[in-house]
Each structure stands twice: as C-alpha cells, then as structure tokens.
Amino acid sequence: MPGSLVGELFLSRRALTAASFAERPVMLTTQQARPAAVSAAVRSPRGAVLFFAFAFAVIADPVSSVAYAIEAALRALGGDLTLLLPTMSLVIGLVVVVTANYWQLVRRFPQGGGAAAAAGRAFGARWTFLPIGALVVDFVLTIGISISAAASAVIALFPGLAPVRVPLALLLLLVVAGLTWFGHGGRLLFAVMTVLFVAVSVAVLVLGFAAPHATGHAAAGHAPGHAAAIAVVLAFPVAMALATGVEAPSTAIAQLGQLDDTRRRRFGRGTLALLLVIVGGLTLALTVLAVRLHIGLPAADSTQIADIAHAAAGPGWLYGAFQLTSSLLLLAAASSSFQAGPGLLKALAGSMDAPGVLPPVLGRTNRHHTPFWSVVVHLAAAALIIVAAAGEEQRLVLFYAVAVFVSFLVGLVAMARFARSARTPALVWLNGLAAVAVAFTLIVNLLRGWPMLSLLATLLIAGALYARWVRAGRPTGIENVESLAEAADGET
C-alpha cells in the first residue's frame, strides 16, 4: 500500500515468523498448510516452553514494579503501616479491573496492538496518537525508574555506594543501553531473571512468616474512621505504578508470528493470568510481611523491600541473592523498554519504501537490527530523568503512574464503545466503571502537582506525532504501528 506506514513491514513479513523464544519452523509452500503445522507445534512440549519463556519475559516489567510500589504507598500514607494492607489491596483490585480490560483487548486484537489499536478502531486514526504518546513517555520512565531502583537495590546491599548513587545509576544505564546495541537476544534472560526473583522472593517470604514477630520500625498511629478511609483512597493512586506493564501482553503477542489467532489469544490471556497471580500474590504477601515484621519507611541507603528481606532472611546469602535478583530483574525491565521504545520509534519512522511520520534517521539500524539513534534518544532522555530525580526511584513513581494511566483510560473507553456496539451491557458497565476508577486515579495523581509534567509530555508528543502524520498525508495503518513494531521485533 503506497504511502502506508505499515506497507513495507507487511511485505517483509514471512509467513511463519518465529519469535525469539522458539526455533524457526520450516517454511511451508502454502498459507493453507499453516494452521495444522502451528497447532501441532503448540501442542508439543516445545509449545509449553514457548509459553513460559514468552510469559515470564513479558511480565518482567510489572513484576519488577513490586520493588518500589509498596514503599510508594507507605510514603503516601506517611509511614502508617496499619493502613498499608488496605491500600495495597485496593491497588490489586484496580489492577484486576485493568487486566480484565486487556483480557478483552487480547480477544478482540489477537495480532496485537493494545490500546493504540483499540483507540484507532473505535474513534478514528487520530486518537491513536494519545496512547502512543503515553507509551513513549512510559518507556522512558520505565528505563529511568527501573535503573534508579536497581541502583537502590545495589546500594542497600553495599551502603558504601550511597554517595555515588547518580553515577552508579548512569553507569547501569550505559551498560543496559550498550547491551541493547547488540540486538534482541535477551528475552530468554528476562524470563530467567523473573523466575529467579520469584523463587528467591518465595524463599524470603517462607522464612519471614516462619520467624517470630519482629523487630523492625514501629508503625505510626492513624486517625480512625473516615480519616483513615480518606487516607487510603488518596494514597492508593501513588502505588498504581504497580499496574505498569499490565498492557504488555496485549501488544507482545504480535511477536508470536508462528501462532494462529486462537493460540495468540491463549498465550496473551494466559500471560495476563500469570501476571495477576505473581504480581498480586507477591505484593500482598510482602505487604502482610512488612506489617507483621513492622518494616516501615527505610533509611536513605536502603529500600523497604530490602529491609523486609533483611528482617526475614537475615544478613546472609539469601538476602544477598534477593538484592541481586531484584536488581537484575529491574535491569531486565529497563532493557525491555530499551528495545520496545526504540522499536516503536523505528516503526513510526517507516522505511525507504514506506516513509513514516518521524525522521528516517530514527529507523536506521546496525547489523544487529538495532535502531541505534532511537536508542540514543531513549538513553539521553532517561539519563536526564535520572539526574533530575537524583537517582531516587521514589521521586519518579508519581510521574510513572500518570503516563501509563492515560493509555489505560483510552483503552477502557474504546472497549466500552465496542461493548455498546455489540450490545453487551455487562461489559459496558464493567468497562465504564473501570474507566471511572482509572480516571479518578489519574486525577488524584495529577493534583499532586509535578506529575502534570507527565501528562504534558504525553500530550505534546501525541500532538507532534499527529501533526507530522497530517503533514505526511495521513498514511494508513497508523493504528497498527505498535503491533507491527512488536512483530518486527519478533522477526529480529
């Protein structure tokens, strides 16, 4: 399709593209032969391996959010541990609601696309740019907050590094960006890091609950009744950074080019279910353990999650393993955004045959198929954020929650419109109520002041992309750009 953003990508797609998690299947001579071969492959033991490798790699981002979301809630509560469990329970409840929306998105868009595809189909191509702008901001913030949190995890293990927090974070940033230069072979490593972190966390939790009630910081008192309820309602939006990454399965399924739509739906929904179980389970268990062990706000050279692990496991090897795996998981989450973000910019830049809305330079790749100038853009933006926040992830949590919730809100409203068109009132009410809850969360965070910068950046980027799209002649297929970026990533 001449002048289309996605034309060249469609032309370059192979009939049976394998994602980086599985061996390439043998090319078939006819498209009709594909479903039988695909079904046989997925029913094999290798299909199960493919699912777990895909799922654990994709959920690295939301699982890593556990490292700072609980502490963020406690800070918003002024250190009141007695209100921490109700607050995090409310957070998990909203995560369930948001996940239910992406469950519908996976069903409707089995070839990927997420909120961007939903907005484009529901309201027209121009609305696609709002979730895309939110994603661009989200990818940069994911890198910044994940790198900062990884530096904090290292400092908690080696407190002597506290004076060099910012240089340490920038060094980690350069290492992750440098590894990204060599392509996209790290997904299996992301999966391994996620599994290791979950396994070590379970060991820490078992020891923590087996130990006698502990010796941590005393819980602060709280106002009873309505005052406590208001405190919880105002605090939980801060911890909604835990929901970041929930959208990943709905777009990442585009990488699974060797599967048919039915299998992609199963992979996407299975990943969402696994995400809920792991993220929800770890969050609630660590929250209960924090309350049980009286682990309040940490010192400047530590984190709450590190204090929980130290109180539960002691200063031995398990505590060291917990800090190591959490820092590596956070770096994996940053690396994932270092791949997805530049990949999105590359897709928006188009190609020689199908020019896009961004300058072609952002689509130039090295021999490892890495869009290096787009990586440099993300590196510079993340470095600026890290320096501005002094390498402290808790300063970035509010900004983080705002960006991704713009995308959540657009996706929910779009799905409510689809449900209304399909005359399914139960889904209309579900998506409508979820949209109200997400909008409330967004507004509360914006009223805190500085997070307004995230919304402003989202709107500016969305507006600039829209203006360039209009100037380029409104090329078709813009609503598919995110899924095609993931598909091209999978081919690589």
Side-chain angles (χ1 to χ4, degrees), residues 94 97 408-409 412-413 416 429-441:
L94 191 50
V97 170
F408 289 165
L409 183 59
L412 281 163
V413 174
W429 278 101
L430 173 64
N431 294 325
L433 291 173
V436 170
V438 166
F440 173 80
T441 302

Side-chain angles (χ1 to χ4, degrees), residues 221-454:
H222 67 86
H226 295 301
I230 292 172
V232 169
V233 169
L234 294 179
F236 91 88
V238 178
M240 285 310 303
L242 187 72
T244 57
V246 169
E247 76 285 354
S250 70
T251 57
I253 52 175
Q255 299 171 8
L256 300 170
Q258 76 275 41
L259 303 184
D260 60 18
D261 285 353
T262 299
R263 300 292 176 176
R264 288 189 189 191
R265 288 189 184 98
R266 291 180 182 176
F267 270 55
R269 289 182 162 189
T271 301
L272 286 169
L274 190 65
L275 183 156
L276 265 184
V277 170
I278 293 177
V279 174
L282 282 181
T283 299
L284 291 178
L286 286 167
T287 300
V288 171
L289 191 58
V291 175
R292 184 177 187 272
L293 302 182
H294 293 193
I295 306 300
L297 294 175
D301 58 355
S302 187
T303 64
Q304 189 198 21
I305 196 172
D307 287 351
I308 294 171
H310 192 275
W317 68 269
L318 184 57
Y319 171 67
F322 182 86
Q323 291 304 103
L324 177 63
T325 55
S326 62
S327 61
L328 289 176
L329 177 62
L330 287 159
L331 293 178
S335 181
S336 179
S337 288
F338 252 128
Q339 294 175 2
L344 179 60
L345 296 188
K346 176 188 173 185
L348 287 166
S351 67
M352 294 294 292
D353 298 326
V357 301
L358 289 180
V361 66
L362 292 176
R364 291 180 185 171
T365 59
N366 60 15
R367 63 189 181 91
H368 300 287
H369 308 286
T370 300
F372 51 89
W373 284 115
S374 290
V375 170
V376 170
V377 168
H378 282 73
L379 171 64
L384 182 63
I385 287 172
I386 289 170
V387 171
E392 296 180 7
E393 72 279 3
Q394 290 299 324
R395 295 187 179 185
L396 296 172
V397 169
L398 278 173
F399 297 89
Y400 196 30
V402 165
V404 75
F405 266 69
V406 171
S407 181
F408 289 165
L409 183 59
V410 173
L412 281 163
V413 174
M415 293 309 296
R417 180 164 186 171
F418 290 139
R420 183 178 179 184
S421 299
R423 297 182 179 179
T424 51
L427 288 180
V428 173
W429 278 101
L430 173 64
N431 294 325
L433 291 173
V436 170
V438 166
F440 173 80
T441 302
L442 186 59
I443 291 169
V444 170
N445 283 336
L446 288 173
L447 289 176
R448 296 178 185 271
W450 286 108
M452 188 67 72
L453 292 176
S454 275

Side-chain angles (χ1 to χ4, degrees), residues 28-392:
L28 302 179
T29 56
T30 65
Q31 191 70 12
Q32 287 74 18
R34 179 184 178 189
V38 168
S39 297
V42 175
R43 285 196 302 266
S44 69
R46 181 172 293 177
V49 174
L50 171 61
F51 169 73
F52 283 105
F54 170 81
F56 277 99
V58 169
I59 67 175
D61 182 5
V63 173
S64 70
S65 301
V66 176
Y68 43 81
I70 302 173
E71 181 180 334
L74 187 59
R75 289 185 181 277
L77 291 167
D80 190 344
L81 276 171
T82 59
L83 296 179
L84 185 59
L85 183 57
T87 301
M88 295 312 298
S89 298
L90 194 55
V91 169
I92 296 299
L94 191 50
V95 170
V96 171
V97 170
V98 172
T99 304
N101 177 60
Y102 282 95
W103 186 277
Q104 298 172 59
L105 276 169
V106 167
R107 181 179 182 276
R108 190 173 187 91
F109 302 101
Q111 296 184 4
R121 299 289 194 281
F123 307 115
R126 70 185 64 180
W127 285 96
T128 302
F129 294 100
L130 188 56
I132 288 178
L135 274 176
V136 172
V137 175
D138 180 58
F139 287 139
V140 173
L141 285 172
T142 297
I143 296 170
I145 197 170
S146 298
I147 293 292
S148 297
S152 293
V154 173
I155 290 170
L157 188 59
F158 303 106
L161 294 174
V164 292
R165 176 184 294 272
V166 172
L168 175 61
L170 293 177
L171 176 61
L172 292 174
L173 177 67
L174 285 172
V175 169
V176 173
L179 292 175
T180 304
W181 181 272
F182 295 101
H184 305 277
R187 290 193 186 88
L188 184 58
L189 181 61
F190 301 164
V192 171
M193 289 301 99
T194 306
V195 172
L196 286 177
F197 174 73
V198 171
V200 173
S201 296
V202 169
V204 167
L205 288 167
V206 169
L207 284 178
F209 283 111
H213 286 267
T215 63
H217 317 299
H222 67 86
H226 295 301
I230 292 172
V232 169
V233 169
L234 294 179
F236 91 88
V238 178
M240 285 310 303
L242 187 72
T244 57
V246 169
E247 76 285 354
S250 70
T251 57
I253 52 175
Q255 299 171 8
L256 300 170
Q258 76 275 41
L259 303 184
D260 60 18
D261 285 353
T262 299
R263 300 292 176 176
R264 288 189 189 191
R265 288 189 184 98
R266 291 180 182 176
F267 270 55
R269 289 182 162 189
T271 301
L272 286 169
L274 190 65
L275 183 156
L276 265 184
V277 170
I278 293 177
V279 174
L282 282 181
T283 299
L284 291 178
L286 286 167
T287 300
V288 171
L289 191 58
V291 175
R292 184 177 187 272
L293 302 182
H294 293 193
I295 306 300
L297 294 175
D301 58 355
S302 187
T303 64
Q304 189 198 21
I305 196 172
D307 287 351
I308 294 171
H310 192 275
W317 68 269
L318 184 57
Y319 171 67
F322 182 86
Q323 291 304 103
L324 177 63
T325 55
S326 62
S327 61
L328 289 176
L329 177 62
L330 287 159
L331 293 178
S335 181
S336 179
S337 288
F338 252 128
Q339 294 175 2
L344 179 60
L345 296 188
K346 176 188 173 185
L348 287 166
S351 67
M352 294 294 292
D353 298 326
V357 301
L358 289 180
V361 66
L362 292 176
R364 291 180 185 171
T365 59
N366 60 15
R367 63 189 181 91
H368 300 287
H369 308 286
T370 300
F372 51 89
W373 284 115
S374 290
V375 170
V376 170
V377 168
H378 282 73
L379 171 64
L384 182 63
I385 287 172
I386 289 170
V387 171
E392 296 180 7

